[in-house]
Amino acid sequence: MTVDNLSQLLKEKLTSSFGKSLEEATTKEVFQSICLIMKDSIHPNWQMTQQTYDENESKQVYYFSMEFLLGRMIETNLLNMGLLDVYKETLTSLEFNPEEVFKEEHDAGLGNGGLGRLAACFLDSLASLQLPGYGMGIRYKYGLFQQKVVNGYQVELPDYWLEDEYMWETKRNDKAIEVRFGGTVETTTINGELHFQHHDYERVLAIPYDVPIVGYDNSTVNTLRLWSAESTTNHFHFHSSRGHDYYHYLDYKRSIEKISEFLYPDDSYYEGKILRLKQQYFLVSAGLQSIMQKYKKRNKPLQELSKHVVIQINDTHPSLVVPELMRILLDDERLGWDEAWAITQETVAYTNHTTLSEALEKWPEDMIETLFPRLYQIIYEINERFCKMLWFDYPELREKIPEMAILAYGQIHMAHLAMVGSFSINGVAKLHTSILKDRVMKPFHIVYPDRFNNKTNGITHRRWLLNANPGLAHIITEAIGTDWIKKPEQLVSILPYATDPAFQDLVARVKHENKQNLATYIKQHYNLTIDDEAIVDVHIKRLHGYKRQLLNLFHIIHLYNTCLENPSIKMTPRIFIFGAKAAPGYTFAKQVIKLTNAVAEKINHHPTVSKHLKVLFLENYQVTLAEKIIPAADVSEQISTASKEASGTGNMKLMMNGALTIGTQDGANVEIGEYVGNDNIFTFGITSEEVFQYQMRGDYRARDYYNDDRRLRNVMDLLVNQHFSGDDVDFKDIFYSLLYNNDEYFVLRDFDSYLSSQQRVDQCYQNQRDWLQKSIVNIGHSGAFSSDRTIREYAEEIWKIQPTTVPTHPIL
Ligand code: 26W
């Protein structure tokens, strides 16, 4: 493909699709035409990929997830197709700014945070490693809300991402599936066999919209299938010619379409909302039925299902796959229980992403019974058999049966269902997996020791380094060649350059350029000027008590106090950047946003303090914004209360872009520390063991830390004397949560240790050679955290799937 060819194609596409010439076309029309041209290349490979998988009878993994946080696709698709440069050059030669054109794509924000973004990184790695993998998700009409900050407060606006056509999707009417809700189950005996008939249910039509997932430098194009709930007049019985039926129909249509209307904005907090449960079953039932239809075309016995299909469930959200697969095998396929159960258990694998008790799903029994009467019977039976097995085979666990049961005290424990019904249970970082085994899921680990395994998370280096930070990618390639792109673990080859002043200077220059880009964005959007020499310190992730944005703020307020006490103080200037959305109902988290903005207001306008410090809360943190911030970061804040962050993946993205981590011994921070060594990470705070000890003994006294540490008192008192706010607001609730509710997340306990660690950061930064060396060491070890490594482990150890080469198709 040359600039000339592409210019010609673009002109033709503009004419055929919009009836416009280049001069008349809007940026949006140019964007859409480019997508259409790309699709002309992608679609033949897409078809070829599916055909190859069918012909080879490849085993396929289906990744079921309620969230896929894709972000924009145009650039990463072009990158993977090897066409990014020629497309950019062509646009520039035609006097379009490529960045402006790419900006026409609305982020696909079909996820909250880590879990959804992980699913998106996994899809990219699956396709790039030529692995037969399918994503199954929901095509929410509204993605995660758009965040505005008004007077320092978060305000949520709907994210109508489908306003302009979504260019990558293809609607597949021919693949529609019927999903059934409610009704009653009639049990009859025919020839001595039990039959279950489902009556009076509500029918919902599930329509798949397929999104192609393009592999890097290969012909593989996998599929992400997003299901949309739709109604058709065919499914509604008009009884009379009177008008009511029409209104009934509209009501019915609305109630059905609600199912895929919006993504719940809750992250790590379970709320028993009926619509959410409907969404889960909708995904599960549509997804499973479509898998079974496809499997049947292979003409293989059902007993061999797990040789062809493996289903990975992303947290417990899709854990109804266990009873739904049982239902299909028992009722539709007429298998016996034992056979159906063996097939189900061999086919399903479960990933756990959190140990927070408030995030573990437990649905009320009667809700499940009303919505899915047949599934309820099946879950009941699974539970009976499981509890009986415990009673007879594990006498030592008898008294634990009530806490291990799937169904107990009127609730259904989805994690228990997922563990009992699957062959693999994995955590997402070493520490997290050991906490599952030794504490949170301990009795299950006794019963199923071989099911537990670890798969430390990863991120796609193609999006997060190659595409987001082309400057850094370029100097790496100049130094060590291009092998690292396909084998990211080879990034270790830059380690010998860590002490090379010439290479350090190159890294410094790239970081500086990235900071200038970010500074320009900040100037444009926030009219805030940031010092070129300032440390860029970033804390970007969902807002949550355990992630301790508050601890970061306490350090900032402490620095502010220090500057006020000593106006001539010497300090490396720092800009503290926050990006975070709070769940709309999470009051505490929203107050932390307000506090951040109040502190920012005070500091940024202070005549002397603002010379040293700046604080900025960036609105509407999402994938595209992350791609801007991360390449410019010096310091990566990973300061969760030890034991609470399952893995974290932002820590990996920042490390890969040369930021140094200040972090607790939590999640994947521990493994990052093992790779880079203690000298190249700033570790602080109490350990997960200490947290468990405090919780067991119940002897943590937050007030003691307040009383004993003058610096901490000086910080906290500013929350309640209206220093950061007018008369109308103060931050009493935050203050009380720390002192009267005894500081659930050990902010006060870790304050001193955090401050010392931040001082080490400051000192270290002053020695730029030393800093750059550490930065390069981090980049060099970041290959271990590529999602290619993670996906290879899943493929070999859990899924047992093989790469399948798709024959090359000439690019049009
Ligand atoms: C039902 C409400 C709800 C919604 C989402 C409960 C729990 C969740 C997720 C499990 C929360 C989540 O995103 N967890 C994050 O998963 C990442 C990917 O494994 C990890 O890196 C993060 O540490 C973990 O918090």
Side-chain angles (χ1 to χ4, degrees), residues 67 112-116 118 266-271 276 280 315 317 353-354 359 361 428 457 546-547 644-649:
E67 306 189 9
N112 273 285
L115 164 134
L118 185 75
D266 283 330
D267 173 270
S268 301
Y269 183 77
Y270 159 75
E271 238 188 325
R276 164 94 179 169
Q280 296 185 347
D315 215 88
H317 317 153
H353 295 267
T354 182
E361 293 185 294
V428 291
N457 282 166
Y546 85 79
K547 294 180 188 280
K644 305 277 182 193
E645 188 70 273
S647 159
T649 44

Side-chain angles (χ1 to χ4, degrees), residues 628-737:
K628 264 203 192 66
I629 300 169
I630 291 171
D634 296 308
V635 177
S636 163
E637 299 277 350
Q638 307 300 336
I639 62 176
S640 53
T641 312
S643 81
K644 305 277 182 193
E645 188 70 273
S647 159
T649 44
N651 46 4
M652 302 168 184
K653 293 163 199 161
L654 283 153
M655 165 200 202
M656 194 174 269
N657 283 273
L660 303 196
T661 305
I662 178 162
T664 46
Q665 294 171 67
D666 200 16
N669 298 352
V670 178
E671 287 156 79
I672 291 177
E674 282 169 9
Y675 273 102
V676 301
N678 284 338
D679 290 347
N680 298 299
I681 187 166
F682 302 93
T683 301
F684 74 95
I686 57 174
T687 62
S688 50
E689 277 309 314
E690 288 173 284
V691 169
F692 295 132
Q693 291 298 323
Y694 272 124
Q695 285 167 348
M696 256 166 40
R697 294 191 310 254
D699 63 352
Y700 175 54
R701 284 160 51 101
R703 185 165 273 283
D704 292 350
Y705 292 86
Y706 174 82
N707 289 336
D708 296 347
D709 189 334
R710 187 186 57 85
R711 300 163 310 170
L712 184 53
R713 240 181 5 257
N714 288 344
V715 167
M716 286 180 60
D717 290 349
L718 293 182
L719 302 186
V720 285
N721 66 5
Q722 266 131 21
H723 184 83
F724 290 117
S725 52
D727 294 342
D728 51 333
V729 268
D730 64 23
F731 300 101
K732 265 201 222 74
D733 291 348
I734 294 177
F735 187 88
Y736 289 164
S737 80

Side-chain angles (χ1 to χ4, degrees), residues 316 319-320 322-323 326 337 341 345 360-366 368 375-390 400-422 444 448 451:
T316 56
S319 52
L320 289 173
V322 173
M326 285 298 283
W337 183 277
W341 185 240
Q345 274 191 326
L360 297 178
E361 293 185 294
K362 293 177 206 74
W363 292 100
E365 214 177 298
D366 52 2
I368 302 254
L375 258 57
Y376 176 73
Q377 296 176 335
I378 293 171
I379 295 170
Y380 194 93
E381 182 69 24
I382 296 173
N383 181 56
E384 284 279 306
R385 289 172 184 245
F386 172 62
C387 293
K388 266 197 198 117
M389 182 278 286
L390 289 177
K400 294 231 179 282
I401 293 178
E403 72 183 67
M404 294 176 76
I406 295 166
L407 217 150
Y409 309 111
Q411 291 193 309
I412 301 188
H413 292 244
M414 303 313 264
H416 300 180
L417 178 63
M419 287 190 281
V420 173
S422 60
F444 288 91
Y448 305 123
R451 289 189 190 181

Side-chain angles (χ1 to χ4, degrees), residues 518-531:
L518 182 64
T520 309
Y521 177 86
I522 289 172
K523 182 75 195 162
Q524 272 171 4
H525 291 80
Y526 297 86
N527 194 25
L528 185 76
T529 310
I530 58 177
D531 186 335

Side-chain angles (χ1 to χ4, degrees), residues 306-476:
S306 70
K307 285 194 187 154
H308 296 259
V309 167
V310 53
I311 294 170
Q312 188 72 42
I313 57 171
N314 202 16
D315 215 88
T316 56
H317 317 153
S319 52
L320 289 173
V321 288
V322 173
E324 175 69 358
L325 183 53
M326 285 298 283
R327 183 193 67 75
I328 293 173
L329 296 173
L330 294 169
D331 300 357
D332 299 349
E333 306 296 342
R334 308 288 316 140
L335 296 187
W337 183 277
D338 290 338
E339 225 171 12
W341 185 240
I343 296 169
T344 301
Q345 274 191 326
E346 283 162 9
T347 307
V348 180
Y350 156 56
T351 306
N352 172 287
H353 295 267
T354 182
T355 57
L356 299 184
S357 55
E358 68 270 28
L360 297 178
E361 293 185 294
K362 293 177 206 74
W363 292 100
E365 214 177 298
D366 52 2
M367 211 148 134
I368 302 254
E369 189 176 5
T370 315
L371 276 181
F372 327 113
R374 180 61 183 135
L375 258 57
Y376 176 73
Q377 296 176 335
I378 293 171
I379 295 170
Y380 194 93
E381 182 69 24
I382 296 173
N383 181 56
E384 284 279 306
R385 289 172 184 245
F386 172 62
C387 293
K388 266 197 198 117
M389 182 278 286
L390 289 177
W391 180 267
F392 290 112
D393 298 352
Y394 294 89
E396 73 277 20
L397 289 177
R398 278 185 190 169
E399 60 187 36
K400 294 231 179 282
I401 293 178
E403 72 183 67
M404 294 176 76
I406 295 166
L407 217 150
Y409 309 111
Q411 291 193 309
I412 301 188
H413 292 244
M414 303 313 264
H416 300 180
L417 178 63
M419 287 190 281
V420 173
S422 60
F423 68 92
S424 166
I425 303 162
N426 78 281
V428 291
K430 277 191 207 163
L431 175 68
H432 170 60
T433 301
S434 38
I435 292 174
L436 288 177
K437 288 198 219 175
D438 301 342
R439 295 178 182 275
V440 184
M441 310 299 187
K442 188 171 178 187
F444 288 91
H445 183 237
I446 294 172
V447 180
Y448 305 123
D450 299 338
R451 289 189 190 181
F452 282 79
N453 65 95
N454 176 246
K455 297 287 167 282
T456 298
N457 282 166
I459 56 166
T460 166
H461 61 288
R462 287 168 289 276
R463 178 180 289 265
W464 296 106
L465 174 50
L466 261 181
N467 191 50
N469 198 344
L472 182 58
H474 178 73
I475 61 170
I476 294 171

